[in-house]
Each structure stands twice: as C-alpha cells, then as structure tokens.
C-alpha cells in the first residue's frame, strides 16, 4: 500500500476535473490491505447498501448479514417497521441469529437466554442476579437493548450508516431521488434474483457497470439494438455515476409486456438509466421494472454480487 503522503497525492489526481483526472492507484485494487481502508472509509464510514427489504418481509422476520466482517441483523417489527441492529447480545457478544427465521415472540440469545423484543428492547435476563433472580440493579433494560444502526430503504434496497455520523438518509440520497423523481414514493415488488461470485476487485464491477464503451466488443448482441452511440453519461460527483440509453424497448419480444410505473414523464418512454450509487449498489431504472446489484467484497480480489429484480406490481 502507498504511504499516506503518496496516497493523498494519488487521490488528489483522481479528484481533478474529468478531462485531467487519473485513475485510482493500482494498490487499491491488488493489495489486501486496501479493503481494510475501504471498509473504514467507505463501507462503514457512511451510508452503504446491506440487503433488501424483502429479506425480512413479515413481522418477526430476522435476517442476519455479515457486512465486511460486521454482524448485522435486519428485523421487521410488529408494526411493520424494518430495523437494523448489531447482531450480538449485549451480555457477552454472542451472535443472536445465525440463520434467517421468524421470531413470533422475543429474540432469544442462545448463550444465556437474554431476550429482546422486535424493536430491540431488552425483555428478559434470566438468573442474571443469581439462581432464580431475573434482574440486577446494575442492568437497566432501558439502556441495554440491542444496538440499532440508522437505516433506510430506497427502491427495495436497505441502507445502513455504521458510522452513525453520515447525517439524514434523505439528504444523502437526494441527488438520485431528484433525478428519478418520477418514481419517488412508488412501491416496487421483488420478482426474484440470483447471486454471482466474481474473481475481481469490487471497484472493477462498479467501473464496468458505469460505462457503455465496452458494448461493441463484449456485448455485440446488445449493441446491435442499443448501440454505443445511443447511450449518454450520468454523473453526480461524490454520489453516483453511470449511463443511460435512449432506445429501451421492452416490446421487442412477442410476449405481453410488464405493466409500466404510473404517471411517468415522456422521458421514460424509451430511456432507461443505470447508476452506481456509491459505494456498493448498482441500480437500473426502466419504465416497467427496476433492478439492484448489491456488491459485497469478500477480499480485494473476490466480490459477491447479489442481483434482485423488481416490478411495478406483485402479480
């Protein structure tokens, strides 16, 4: 890894105006300690994608996630609110939930049976004061619940701020919600997905997604009707970048098309847009569906991609 001064100089070159900018230094792709730096500065340093809202669909559903080594737990509470907690008991740090499941009652720690409600409140501490004594003056249930992480959902994707210092989600996501105002507040319905593992640095997946330059050479079939010259560049510095096409045509096939989102502007009759929302989710918006690709680095040279597709209706 470059030393701090060299890294600062390299990143300063990256941040130049586009026509004079340089790419990221090689060490951020091919050295193992680069991922630790990115974990602290990017993935745990502000808002980042961690999962999907339908992972915990019903009240009582609990869905464990390992986010670059950090154990997290998505829980749908009885009021239908999706919450994100640290997936550890407040007593001795035992992992609370190892596999997705539904807790009809409380969430119980498998070690000493401390119990928590779906909103994270501490509900029971059996024998904590001695055999048969289930309370202790040193333990205040009001301050010893599960540690909640700020979280929010956009187009079916769940985001969390592990730094707890990134500010309101609405302000962070505003550049994209303003660009995609036509679908603001609309509900999307999961239609299925799949997972890929690629033997590459996660940033290469972002870079590939955000440009259409490779289409004639890598995707000649796609380029035959959505040509390189039919695409345009998208950029919101510090937030997202990507590309759009002016020739999206879901009626090319013979099957009945999927329903469109309601009340879209004329722009979406033929346009579709694809943006990499930093740091780790790739989003696609079309008049009749959206998709999201959540990037989860497993090492500096291995990335798990979880792809989920969403339609305008549940049927």
């Amino acid at each position: 890894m470059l030393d701090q001064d060299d890294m600062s100089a390299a990143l300063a070159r990256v941040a130049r105006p586009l026509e004079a900018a340089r790419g990221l230094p090689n060490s951020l792709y091919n050295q193992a300690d680069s991922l630790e730096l990115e974990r602290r500065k990017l993935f745990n340093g502000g808002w980042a994608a961690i999962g999907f809202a339908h992972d915990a669909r019903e009240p009582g559903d609990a869905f464990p996630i390992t986010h670059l080594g950090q154990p997290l737990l998505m829980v749908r509470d009885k009021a239908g609110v999706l919450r994100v907690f640290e997936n550890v008991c407040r007593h001795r740090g035992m992992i609370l939930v190892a596999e997705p499941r539904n807790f009809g009652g409380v969430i119980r720690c498998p070690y000493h049976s401390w119990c928590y409600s779906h909103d994270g409140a501490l509900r029971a501490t059996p024998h904590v004061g001695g055999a048969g004594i289930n309370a202790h003056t040193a333990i205040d249930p009001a301050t010893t619940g599960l540690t909640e992480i700020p979280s929010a959902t956009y187009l079916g994707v769940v985001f969390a701020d592990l730094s707890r210092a990134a500010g309101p989600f609405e302000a962070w996501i505003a550049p994209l919600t303003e660009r995609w105002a036509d679908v603001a507040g609309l509900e999307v319905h999961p239609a299925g997905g799949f997972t890929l593992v690629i033997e590459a640095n996660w940033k290469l997946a972002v870079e590939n997604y955000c440009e259409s330059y490779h289409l004639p050479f890598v995707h000649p079939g796609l380029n035959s009707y959505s040509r390189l010259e039919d695409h345009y560049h998208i950029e919101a510095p510090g937030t997202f970048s990507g590309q759009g096409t002016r020739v999206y045509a879901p009626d090319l096939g013979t099957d009945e098309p999927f329903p469109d989102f309601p009340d879209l502007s004329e722009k979406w009759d033929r346009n579709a847009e694809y943006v990499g929302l930093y740091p780790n989710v790739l989003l696609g918006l079309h008049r009749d569906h959206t998709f999201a690709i959540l990037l989860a680095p497993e090492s500096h040279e291995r990335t798990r991609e979880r792809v989920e597709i969403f339609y305008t209706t549940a049927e």
Side-chain angles (χ1 to χ4, degrees), residues 14-193:
V14 174
R16 290 172 181 168
L18 186 60
E19 62 275 8
R22 300 291 298 273
L24 290 168
N26 291 347
S27 62
L28 289 180
Y29 296 85
N30 61 22
Q31 295 190 20
D33 56 355
S34 65
L35 186 57
E36 172 58 22
L37 175 66
E38 292 165 345
R39 184 190 67 80
R40 291 187 286 106
K41 296 293 187 179
L42 298 177
F43 292 91
N44 291 2
W47 291 102
I50 64 165
F52 295 92
H54 62 272
D55 291 334
R57 191 192 305 263
E58 302 295 332
D61 281 355
F63 189 87
I65 297 166
T66 301
H67 177 71
L68 275 82
Q70 178 77 27
L72 303 177
L73 184 66
M74 292 197 304
V75 179
R76 183 79 63 176
D77 70 17
K78 291 182 178 179
V81 176
L82 186 65
R83 301 175 183 272
V84 177
F85 302 101
E86 293 182 359
N87 187 19
V88 293
C89 181
R90 289 296 302 276
H91 182 215
R92 287 190 178 168
M94 180 72 179
I95 294 295
L96 280 174
V97 182
E99 300 290 340
R101 57 168 296 186
N102 183 276
F103 289 87
V106 295
I107 300 171
R108 186 183 67 84
C109 176
Y111 193 15
H112 294 116
S113 283
W114 281 33
C115 297
Y116 304 87
S117 59
H118 300 158
D119 63 4
L122 181 62
R123 293 285 300 277
T125 53
H127 308 303
V128 73
I133 303 173
N134 299 327
H136 193 282
T137 56
I139 298 173
D140 179 6
T143 59
T144 321
L146 296 180
T147 302
E148 187 165 4
I149 308 295
S151 62
T153 301
Y154 177 68
L155 292 180
V157 182
V158 178
F159 297 83
D161 171 24
L162 272 74
S163 75
R164 301 175 177 82
F169 178 79
E170 293 75 15
W172 177 77
I173 198 73
L176 186 56
T177 56
E178 291 168 4
R179 183 178 185 91
W180 287 355
D182 286 335
V183 295
L186 293 180
E187 186 177 3
V188 295
H189 301 272

Side-chain angles (χ1 to χ4, degrees), residues 222-245:
L222 173 60
N223 192 71
S224 68
Y225 62 88
S226 184
R227 303 166 301 167
L228 174 62
E229 56 266 38
D230 295 325
H231 290 75
Y232 55 92
H233 181 63
I234 299 169
E235 185 178 8
T239 306
F240 61 83
S241 61
Q243 57 169 312
T245 179

